[in-house]
Amino acid sequence: MTQIRAFDRFFDEEELRAKHEVREFAEQLPRDVIERDHAGSFDRESWNACARFGILGLGVPEEYGGTGGDLVRAVLSMEGFGKGCRDNGLTFALNAQMWTTQLSILQFGSEAQKKRYLPALCGGEKIAAQAMTEPETGSDIYRLQARAERTEDGYVLNGSKVLVTLGPLADVFLIFATIDPAKGRWGLTAFLVDRDTPGLEVLPVQAKMGLRTVPLGGLELRDVRIPADARLGPEGGGVSLSATSLEWERSCMLAGKIGIMERQIDEAVAEAKRREQFGQPIGKFQAVSNRIADMKVRLEASRLLVYRVAALKLAGRPAPLEAAAAKLFLAESFVESSLDSIRIHGGRGYLTENEVERDLRDAVGGVLWGGTSDIQRVLVARLLGL
């Protein structure tokens, strides 16, 4: 049996240095997040800077334009990026492309598909978006209404997609559709569709509560004709592709949230030492110190859960239960710690200018995307045999 590497004990100096370097790089990115959050604008210049630094190429072999490295480096790097970057939307956007589209192309794509898409995606020249969710199918992803009908030389796609992260900007879409609704999950199939394909309409940006600096939109598919080589993986392979992507996403993508939660603790401790009430620092009051202690416990528990998923994936083992548990616990913890952070900062934490309240708005989406918290509980229960 392949030995599972203990992520929490055996990092080497190079891996830890990479985490530190990524954090330092992220700290130097533009700090105009308040303005862009208000305007709902995406920072393409920072996106390109991340590509030049090598972040978008993490885990992708050099022959396809990536920077190489294994999952250990990717997890640590995204953790460092989350701590150093104030723009949670940018962190989310980078992870969305890397683990839901790039990784899928790398693992399931043909040689031609890898060479066509990965160098441009890793280099920042193009942006990719996954289109799974539909107006009437959120958590029930295997009940998709989008259809892919076979033709002599390919497929014709019809349907609608919503809540597509990076959709309004994307140059290529990873679209899921069914070749036969009667087959249920085994009809689910994935396709790579370029933005300029006739019949594909990209809908405008949708306003939302949080993560405003990453655009969210939808697609309309009206007789979109694509060649057979646009299919990613085999017919009916969408279920395997989706499940694999979600497990990787719940290690690497969640690592960015760990970094953000660590930053929250640093700022909360500094505020608790700085601010005085009734003749002493507020950190001396048990109500305040207990909140910070809870934030620390959530952080370390979340970190170990995410590392556990990453360790299993690195060993080539499936991790559906561990991935669901990590997603559930971290998503809920991020919301709770963001609220605690506001309380510790008091009235200042409620003000936009102090950049504390934004974390809470950004955190709420985590209990919805990638499978709601309720769905994660269902998955854990089922995997326990209930």
Side-chain angles (χ1 to χ4, degrees), residues 189-229:
T189 306
F191 303 89
L192 292 168
V193 184
D194 294 327
R195 184 188 185 94
D196 59 1
T197 303
L200 174 62
E201 180 185 359
V202 179
L203 301 180
V205 175
Q206 294 176 296
K208 54 188 182 300
M209 174 183 179
L211 295 173
R212 294 175 179 172
T213 58
V214 54
L216 193 76
L219 302 176
E220 289 293 339
L221 309 166
R222 299 186 183 91
D223 293 331
V224 178
R225 295 185 176 275
I226 54 176
D229 60 9

Side-chain angles (χ1 to χ4, degrees), residues 332-354:
E332 301 284 336
S333 294
F334 189 20
V335 172
E336 292 174 13
S337 290
S338 296
L339 185 56
D340 278 340
S341 178
I342 292 175
R343 287 170 168 158
I344 291 165
H345 285 80
R348 295 178 66 251
Y350 196 67
L351 299 178
T352 298
E353 65 187 54
N354 293 305

Side-chain angles (χ1 to χ4, degrees), residues 289-352:
S289 62
N290 281 357
R291 283 200 179 98
I292 295 176
D294 287 342
M295 293 172 70
K296 178 63 173 177
V297 171
R298 293 187 201 109
L299 168 67
E300 296 304 332
S302 297
R303 176 179 276 130
L304 290 177
L305 284 167
V306 171
Y307 285 0
R308 173 65 175 172
V309 178
L312 288 167
K313 299 306 296 179
L314 186 64
R317 296 175 57 177
L321 190 152
E322 293 82 2
K327 169 65 168 61
L328 169 62
F329 187 82
L330 196 149
E332 301 284 336
S333 294
F334 189 20
V335 172
E336 292 174 13
S337 290
S338 296
L339 185 56
D340 278 340
S341 178
I342 292 175
R343 287 170 168 158
I344 291 165
H345 285 80
R348 295 178 66 251
Y350 196 67
L351 299 178
T352 298

